Amino acid sequence: QAARGWSSLEAIELLDRSHPVSPGVINRRYPRSDSVPKALARWMQRLLGSEGEEDFESVSLISSPVRTSSAQNNRRFLSFGMERRRRNNHLEDDDDDSRANANNDEVVFADPSTASRARLGNQRGGGGEEEELQLDPLPPMFSKYGDFHTIDWQRDLARDRLRHKVIGARSRDFPLGLIKAAWDAGAGWICVLLVGIAAGATAGVIDVAARWMSDLKDGVCADRFWLDREHCCWSSNDTIYKDSDCSAWTTWPEMFNYYSKSPFYYLVELFFYTAWAVGMSTLAVLLVKVFAPYACGSGIPEIKCILSGFIIRGYLGKWTFLIKSVGLILASASGLSLGKEGPMVHLGCCIGNIISYLFPKYGQNEAKKREILSASAAAGVSVAFGAPIGGVMFSLEEASYYFPQKTMWRSFFCALVAGIVLRLVNPFGSDQTSLFHVDYMVKWSFIELIPFGLLGIFGGLVGGLFTYLNIRWCRVRKENKLVGGNPIYEVVLVTLFTAAISYFNPYLHKSGTAVIKQLFDRCGPEDYMVELCEYRNVDGDVYFGSAFASVFWQLSVALVMKFVFTVFTFGIKIPCGLFVPSLVMGSLAGRLLAMLIEGFLRAVQDEAGTSMFSCQIGKDCMMPGLYAMVGAAAVLGGMTRMTVSLVVIMFELTGSLEFIVPTMVAVMFAKWVGDATHKQGMYEAHIELNGYPFLDNKGEYPYSTTAYQVMRPSASEGKELAVIVQDAMTLGEIEQLMRDTQFNGFPVVVSRESMYLVGYVTRRELQLALHAARQSQPYVVTASLVFFTAPGQASLHQPHADTSSSAPAPLRLRRIIDLAPMTVTDQMPMETIIDMFRKLGLRQLLVTRSGKVLGIITKKDILHFMRNAGDLESITNPNFK
């Protein structure tokens, strides 16, 4: 019974119901010193390696009957000493697998080699005949949900409400009860506080290390090797520091005492630049492949699925956190077209998952854990961009599936703490909370809303085209063994190609954040050495000659190559994000448009002389950095289809409240055009590509169908629904049914003829209960009838059951079934059913007609139906192949 998760007292109660004996018989069969439940408990402790933890004691919360007087007598008589531990643990460690859906999600079992053969004597028959049965491999004892399964929101939240009610009742016990109640009330705030501190410290370390390693491709600070290029030049005595004008920084050719700027000098510099880039990316992919395969990619698509209730074992584990942190430093420093902002969301959720296990209230309840993960995602964005409010809005708009008001408060607090810690770490040395602070002195005019709208249209087109091409390439990677089977070679080739081309373009050579900061900056008199602004500072006037053509050509090449690089980079087996490459592309496009508009205004002034297009003396007609900022928001919006959260993030990134309206205009146009060109954003497209069961709460269901048309098995398939009869199946028949099918749950009916619904039992509950009966009740054999009815209830199929000693002992398992499963009628519109799945977090619905069960609808059935555009004939459920 310990394997099932019942306490010893419940085991005796079940034993008393299935085979009534006197207390003396129980004492003789199970003496106090060597009881079967106690022996199983000790065996479970040895298996877990912790003598003091007995978390397996729990009770079912859906259909646990009230203890009978006989059980109370057994409690007084047997005194196993486990009641206190049962009271403490049964609320947190319910080992039920929830009302599992009937699809073919793989159930995670223990090692099949450990499946034992039970030789059980038919002791009631008295013949000594042995029956041999190959038991199914058992799932993990303490894993409430299997890998790649979805959680049951309603059941987990009900467990938490019951736990809270019990703690509230105990709060009257002064002082321990009051202390426990206060700790429980503040556990959520303490948890998110720790998450915020850890996220801020992790982001600070990653930022500092990534900047230092990124500059290693160009050289090293000879006097202080631990400083990056910017801080190295700050520490020198140079009056001016502009790009390469820094005597304290030593390039790699200069390390070999070669100072002449000859072709050989640049060849050596190119070699070291490419070698460092390839070495860093290769080390990153090796770490990911060997230690943590889940540490690759952005992580946001998987985080969206996990927050919606999907289980991916190991995706938020400590090894994933460690390897992704190191790999993110190496990948971002290698110069690949990727960012670290998306992976920071994944790292934040890893921190939240690890810390939640310090608080059983969250660590042992998957639905409550997702409240901490939502706050962790907000902290990830907060430390990635220095945008706490934007992090909360991102978690609300994009990441979270279940976001109650208290979760928003805790997300706000977690993002705030993470931002404060990052500010204390001060990884950029600027003492500013905004990453790309701007101080534009020019106001925008209403006529400029036209180019801002054009940037939005450009962002939507680029986002749709990028999504289409990247998904096509990722599909090739999945289907082609030559590409997908060699991730190390792919990373090396992409890095080599990227580094060899980026070296020759100043806007590809630098890191993404450095380029964005340069493109956002305004061009003033102090920027005379910056090539981007040099064409605007010739005799105090704007000069459109060779300098203009050179800058325009470099920006155009950088935009095209950045797009190509990102298409092939996003999705390779290293940590890689999409935010920074999108911002870079948008900034380049915005700057190009600003240069064209400057040329147009200059031409108009030259033609018309003094006109309405003339600018005031000493002031600029426009600010090119503003166009870069708006273009960055437009392209990122076209990629991800974010709206409100993106505007808030851009405001916090730049610290510019004045330009919210232009940003909103560009983001809305990008959203409209992006939805028109490609229906899904990048993250939703990757979710569909990977086949995750994610039911987007922002989607629509445009089909006029009913539950009868979508349920499985359908009438056209000619297959029967696998059910369990409540009082007419033997233990062997049920075990055979479980071996013949892979369903994760079975409806319990009155009879196969009537098909009247009694309840629903999960495969996991049934497996553990039968295994426990085989281990602890030797008189239960293969021929024993299994009753899902209450004790004393008349049997429809066995009205005159043989009660002689020769009949096999029955086994009653009513306590493991869900007596109130979610059901709908066969004529229920699918629009309503989809809303039930979205808002209630269901895993399956039973379809009935006049109380008779007809079939089952699971989340995967709905997704498959929606993806096939309502083609009813194309719907297939993998469970009925």
Side-chain angles (χ1 to χ4, degrees):
Q1 302 301 336
R4 164 63 180 86
W6 295 330
S7 65
S8 299
L9 297 174
E10 291 170 323
I12 294 300
E13 179 183 352
L14 180 64
L15 184 147
D16 180 65
R17 290 180 179 179
S18 58
H19 182 52
V21 291
S22 64
V25 174
I26 296 180
N27 265 344
R28 290 192 299 271
R29 179 169 298 181
Y30 301 117
R32 179 189 299 266
S33 61
D34 194 20
S35 61
V36 171
K38 208 165 186 179
L40 282 174
R42 289 195 300 270
W43 175 78
M44 289 294 298
Q45 289 176 357
R46 289 196 301 270
L47 180 64
L48 292 177
S50 56
E51 294 295 331
E53 297 181 1
E54 293 178 304
D55 291 343
F56 48 82
E57 295 177 353
S58 61
V59 295
S60 176
L61 298 181
I62 284 189
S63 57
S64 54
V66 180
R67 296 188 184 279
T68 61
S69 58
S70 62
Q72 295 172 355
N73 293 334
N74 288 332
R75 182 188 300 112
R76 290 192 299 267
F77 181 75
L78 289 171
S79 292
F80 283 108
M82 301 179 72
E83 181 64 22
R84 178 174 178 271
R85 290 191 295 273
R86 184 190 66 80
R87 288 199 308 266
N88 292 337
N89 295 329
H90 80 282
L91 288 172
E92 295 296 333
D93 296 308
D94 178 22
D95 206 14
D96 180 43
D97 191 32
S98 80
R99 288 171 285 162
N101 50 7
N103 58 36
N104 71 334
D105 288 348
E106 180 182 358
V107 180
V108 178
F109 293 120
D111 187 0
S113 64
T114 62
S116 61
R117 290 183 176 270
R119 297 183 179 272
L120 303 174
N122 190 348
Q123 298 184 9
R124 299 200 58 175
E129 179 182 357
E130 287 188 345
E131 296 186 11
E132 186 173 302
L133 174 68
Q134 176 69 37
L135 296 179
D136 284 347
L138 288 177
M141 297 298 178
F142 300 100
S143 176
K144 287 181 282 293
Y145 298 102
D147 199 8
F148 297 107
H149 282 196
T150 53
I151 70 172
D152 192 335
W153 289 88
Q154 297 301 311
R155 184 181 184 86
D156 284 355
L157 293 177
R159 291 175 56 222
D160 184 72
R161 286 192 294 268
L162 182 57
R163 181 200 59 80
H164 185 72
K165 185 183 297 184
V166 172
I167 291 178
R170 293 176 180 174
S171 63
R172 291 186 287 270
D173 299 337
F174 185 84
L176 293 180
L178 188 61
I179 294 175
K180 290 181 179 179
W183 169 257
D184 182 77
W189 295 100
I190 298 174
C191 185
V192 297
L193 173 65
L194 297 177
V195 171
I197 294 174
T202 301
V205 172
I206 291 176
D207 288 335
V208 172
R211 284 166 63 92
W212 178 74
M213 296 193 70
S214 178
D215 289 336
L216 279 181
K217 300 193 304 293
D218 296 319
V220 68
C221 189
D223 297 333
R224 302 173 181 88
F225 70 90
W226 58 87
L227 295 180
D228 59 66
R229 182 183 187 124
E230 185 174 0
H231 290 84
C232 178
C233 294
W234 284 355
S235 64
S236 65
N237 293 325
D238 292 341
T239 305
I240 299 175
Y241 160 55
K242 289 293 181 180
D243 290 339
S244 60
D245 186 15
C246 175
S247 59
W249 183 259
T250 305
T251 62
W252 290 112
E254 292 172 355
M255 290 291 292
F256 297 96
N257 296 322
Y258 196 87
Y259 296 92
S260 176
K261 297 297 182 69
S262 62
F264 180 76
Y265 177 94
Y266 294 107
L267 185 62
V268 173
E269 198 173 42
L270 172 62
F271 171 78
F272 276 96
Y273 182 87
T274 307
W276 275 107
V278 173
M280 292 176 186
S281 62
T282 303
L283 180 57
V285 70
L286 287 174
L287 290 174
V288 169
K289 184 177 181 180
V290 175
F291 295 102
Y294 282 150
C296 65
S298 169
I300 292 182
E302 289 77 10
I303 293 299
K304 288 170 68 72
C305 295
I306 290 174
L307 291 179
S308 71
F310 194 48
I311 299 291
I312 306 179
R313 295 293 179 195
Y315 199 81
L316 301 178
K318 54 183 178 297
W319 272 107
T320 303
F321 167 74
L322 180 62
I323 297 303
K324 189 148 194 174
S325 300
V326 178
L328 184 58
I329 295 173
L330 296 170
S332 59
S334 66
L336 286 169
S337 183
L338 51 84
K340 55 181 182 293
E341 284 69 22
M344 279 304 304
V345 177
H346 185 189
L347 292 177
C349 289
C350 288
I351 294 173
N353 178 68
I354 295 170
I355 294 181
S356 68
Y357 284 102
L358 301 177
F359 303 85
K361 172 182 177 180
Y362 298 101
Q364 298 177 359
N365 189 306
E366 293 292 341
K368 295 292 292 181
K369 183 190 293 183
R370 272 141 185 81
E371 297 179 10
I372 302 299
L373 296 182
S374 296
S376 304
V381 176
S382 174
V383 296
F385 291 107
I389 303 298
V392 177
M393 297 304 299
F394 174 83
S395 180
L396 173 62
E397 180 182 0
E398 284 296 317
S400 298
Y401 201 84
Y402 173 71
F403 203 82
Q405 190 172 15
K406 61 180 179 180
T407 302
M408 183 176 66
W409 297 339
R410 289 172 182 167
S411 300
F412 179 82
F413 178 67
C414 187
L416 170 65
V417 172
I420 292 175
V421 173
L422 184 66
R423 173 65 177 78
L424 292 175
V425 176
N426 193 20
F428 304 109
S430 59
D431 291 331
Q432 292 180 347
T433 56
S434 54
L435 185 58
F436 308 118
H437 182 74
V438 297
D439 53 352
Y440 303 143
M441 304 302 295
V442 179
K443 305 292 184 180
W444 62 276
S445 60
F446 285 99
I447 194 64
E448 289 183 297
L449 291 178
I450 297 177
F452 294 154
L454 293 177
L455 285 175
I457 295 174
F458 173 81
L461 293 174
V462 169
L465 179 62
F466 177 86
T467 303
Y468 172 77
L469 294 177
N470 182 256
I471 293 299
R472 289 291 299 270
W473 175 246
C474 290
R475 187 171 286 113
V476 170
R477 184 186 292 121
K478 290 174 69 72
E479 297 173 355
N480 192 312
K481 294 183 179 180
L482 180 62
V483 179
N486 299 280
I488 299 178
Y489 296 147
E490 181 188 11
V491 170
V492 171
L493 290 177
V494 171
T495 307
L496 186 62
F497 180 71
T498 302
I501 295 179
S502 299
Y503 173 81
F504 298 98
N505 190 293
Y507 304 104
L508 297 175
H509 187 98
K510 297 179 181 179
S511 65
T513 53
V515 173
I516 295 172
K517 188 174 182 179
Q518 182 180 359
L519 293 173
F520 280 12
D521 196 11
R522 62 181 178 86
C523 288
E526 71 276 7
D527 296 317
Y528 69 95
M529 295 182 65
V530 179
E531 194 175 76
L532 181 64
C533 302
E534 188 176 358
Y535 72 94
R536 306 182 80 248
N537 293 283
V538 178
D539 297 330
D541 200 355
V542 178
Y543 175 74
F544 298 96
S546 59
F548 177 88
S550 174
V551 173
F552 193 87
W553 170 253
Q554 290 178 350
L555 291 174
S556 301
V557 172
L559 175 60
V560 174
M561 296 311 302
K562 195 71 175 179
F563 180 86
V564 175
F565 292 160
T566 311
V567 167
F568 290 96
T569 303
F570 189 73
I572 59 178
K573 301 305 179 183
I574 59 174
C576 55
L578 186 62
F579 282 15
V580 166
S582 302
L583 293 175
V584 171
M585 285 187 282
S587 302
L588 292 169
R591 199 79 184 202
L592 285 170
L593 180 61
M595 294 178 66
L596 292 177
I597 294 177
E598 276 187 319
F600 172 76
L601 293 178
R602 176 71 179 186
V604 170
Q605 291 187 42
D606 292 341
E607 289 291 335
T610 302
S611 67
M612 61 178 294
F613 295 100
S614 299
C615 303
Q616 298 180 13
I617 298 176
K619 291 187 178 181
D620 294 323
C621 293
M622 55 179 297
M623 189 62 64
L626 172 60
Y627 285 74
M629 183 181 73
V630 174
V635 174
L636 183 55
M639 295 280 193
T640 62
R641 312 298 161 83
M642 294 191 300
T643 53
V644 179
S645 59
L646 176 56
V647 173
V648 176
I649 288 174
M650 293 302 299
F651 156 63
E652 293 186 277
L653 267 178
T654 59
S656 177
L657 184 63
E658 179 68 25
F659 304 105
I660 282 184
V661 173
T663 306
M664 293 176 65
V665 171
V667 168
M668 282 310 305
F669 273 94
K671 168 72 172 175
W672 291 334
V673 175
D675 289 340
T677 55
H678 198 281
K679 186 177 181 181
Q680 296 174 316
M682 176 55 63
Y683 300 134
E684 289 76 14
H686 274 269
I687 288 174
E688 182 176 352
L689 176 67
N690 294 323
Y692 297 138
F694 179 74
L695 191 59
D696 194 355
N697 51 13
K698 293 178 290 187
E700 296 181 358
Y701 185 84
Y703 315 116
S704 299
T705 52
T706 61
Y708 184 78
Q709 296 172 283
V710 181
M711 71 177 188
R712 299 293 98 195
S714 63
S716 60
E717 290 179 347
K719 297 181 180 179
E720 295 183 357
L721 179 67
V723 297
I724 294 177
V725 181
Q726 66 172 353
D727 55 9
M729 296 183 68
T730 64
L731 187 146
E733 291 174 342
I734 294 178
E735 290 176 331
Q736 186 63 39
L737 175 65
M738 296 174 67
R739 283 193 294 270
D740 294 341
T741 63
Q742 294 296 323
F743 306 144
N744 291 328
F746 304 91
V748 180
V749 298
V750 175
S751 65
R752 294 188 182 275
E753 293 76 21
S754 66
M755 293 295 285
Y756 284 116
L757 181 65
V758 175
Y760 188 82
V761 62
T762 65
R763 182 188 189 91
R764 181 183 179 81
E765 282 282 316
L766 200 56
Q767 247 181 345
L768 293 175
L770 295 182
H771 178 75
R774 289 282 195 181
Q775 294 292 331
S776 62
Q777 301 181 27
Y779 47 82
V780 173
V781 295
T782 303
S784 298
L785 284 174
V786 180
F787 289 95
F788 293 90
T789 56
Q793 179 178 342
S795 174
L796 298 179
H797 295 85
Q798 304 289 336
H800 306 289
D802 186 5
T803 58
S804 64
S805 60
S806 61
L811 177 64
R812 296 191 179 276
L813 299 178
R814 184 176 176 84
R815 67 166 55 245
I816 70 172
I817 68 172
D818 179 8
L819 296 175
M822 297 295 293
T823 61
V824 295
T825 62
D826 59 331
Q827 296 303 313
M828 177 73 73
M830 283 302 299
E831 294 88 341
T832 305
I833 292 177
I834 291 176
D835 284 339
M836 294 174 66
F837 272 91
R838 287 171 175 167
K839 297 176 180 179
L840 298 179
L842 303 179
R843 301 186 69 188
Q844 84 286 321
L845 278 175
L846 301 182
V847 181
T848 63
R849 177 189 294 168
S850 302
K852 300 179 179 180
V853 62
L854 301 179
I856 296 178
I857 297 178
T858 68
K859 183 183 290 187
K860 281 194 173 182
D861 291 328
I862 294 176
L863 291 171
H864 196 79
F865 180 80
M866 296 176 68
R867 289 168 183 171
N868 285 275
D871 186 4
L872 295 176
E873 298 299 328
S874 66
I875 305 176
T876 58
N877 190 319
N879 293 328
F880 296 93
K881 288 184 179 180

